[in-house]
Amino acid sequence: MIHEFAAQRRQAILELVAQREYATIAEVKAVTGASASTVHRDLAHLAKAGVVQRIRGGVTRAAKPAEAVAELRHRLVSLPRVLDLGDLTAVHRLLTQALLACERLRR
């Protein structure tokens, strides 16, 4: 029975994202009636399955392969400039985002 509720919540999340392309944590909470921690677990599960993409404060549709390639290219092209600036936080962010794009491509 618990798995049925999780499946229903996750389906509601997918429908919301399909309608709006982006949903905040608060919007997902309102649609599902779930707690913030449950919403975060559901979003993590859906992101791991590759059907949504987690972003700061919410979730969006998963990138299509062509979009993931373009994102990867953008991140890697930006890397030399950021390295020259010596901003290690930005370097870490760029590399993390590039790795996430690679993971989406692998799926």
Side-chain angles (χ1 to χ4, degrees), residues 4-40:
E4 290 178 30
F5 292 136
Q8 290 172 351
R9 283 193 318 271
R10 291 171 185 163
Q11 184 59 41
I13 293 167
L14 291 175
E15 290 171 7
L16 179 65
V17 172
Q19 293 170 358
R20 306 179 71 200
E21 292 192 31
Y22 171 83
T24 65
I25 299 295
E27 291 168 338
V28 173
K29 281 177 55 179
V31 166
T32 62
S35 68
S37 59
T38 298
V39 166
H40 284 281

Side-chain angles (χ1 to χ4, degrees), residues 60-75:
T60 188
R61 292 181 190 173
K64 295 177 182 159
E67 293 169 344
V69 169
E71 180 184 351
L72 180 58
R73 183 176 294 120
H74 169 73
R75 304 294 179 203

Side-chain angles (χ1 to χ4, degrees), residues 5-106:
F5 292 136
Q8 290 172 351
R9 283 193 318 271
R10 291 171 185 163
Q11 184 59 41
I13 293 167
L14 291 175
E15 290 171 7
L16 179 65
V17 172
Q19 293 170 358
R20 306 179 71 200
E21 292 192 31
Y22 171 83
T24 65
I25 299 295
E27 291 168 338
V28 173
K29 281 177 55 179
V31 166
T32 62
S35 68
S37 59
T38 298
V39 166
H40 284 281
R41 281 192 300 273
D42 284 341
L43 296 181
H45 176 84
L46 293 170
K48 186 174 181 180
V51 293
V52 298
Q53 180 179 351
R54 295 288 307 267
I55 55 176
R56 185 178 179 97
V59 64
T60 188
R61 292 181 190 173
K64 295 177 182 159
E67 293 169 344
V69 169
E71 180 184 351
L72 180 58
R73 183 176 294 120
H74 169 73
R75 304 294 179 203
L76 294 177
V77 166
S78 302
L79 189 58
R81 180 182 49 81
V82 176
L83 280 169
D84 288 342
L85 294 174
D87 185 351
L88 295 181
T89 301
V91 169
H92 181 265
R93 183 173 22 85
L94 277 173
L95 290 174
T96 300
Q97 292 166 342
L99 284 172
L100 290 172
C102 288
E103 288 175 12
R104 286 193 302 275
L105 284 169
R106 262 196 318 196

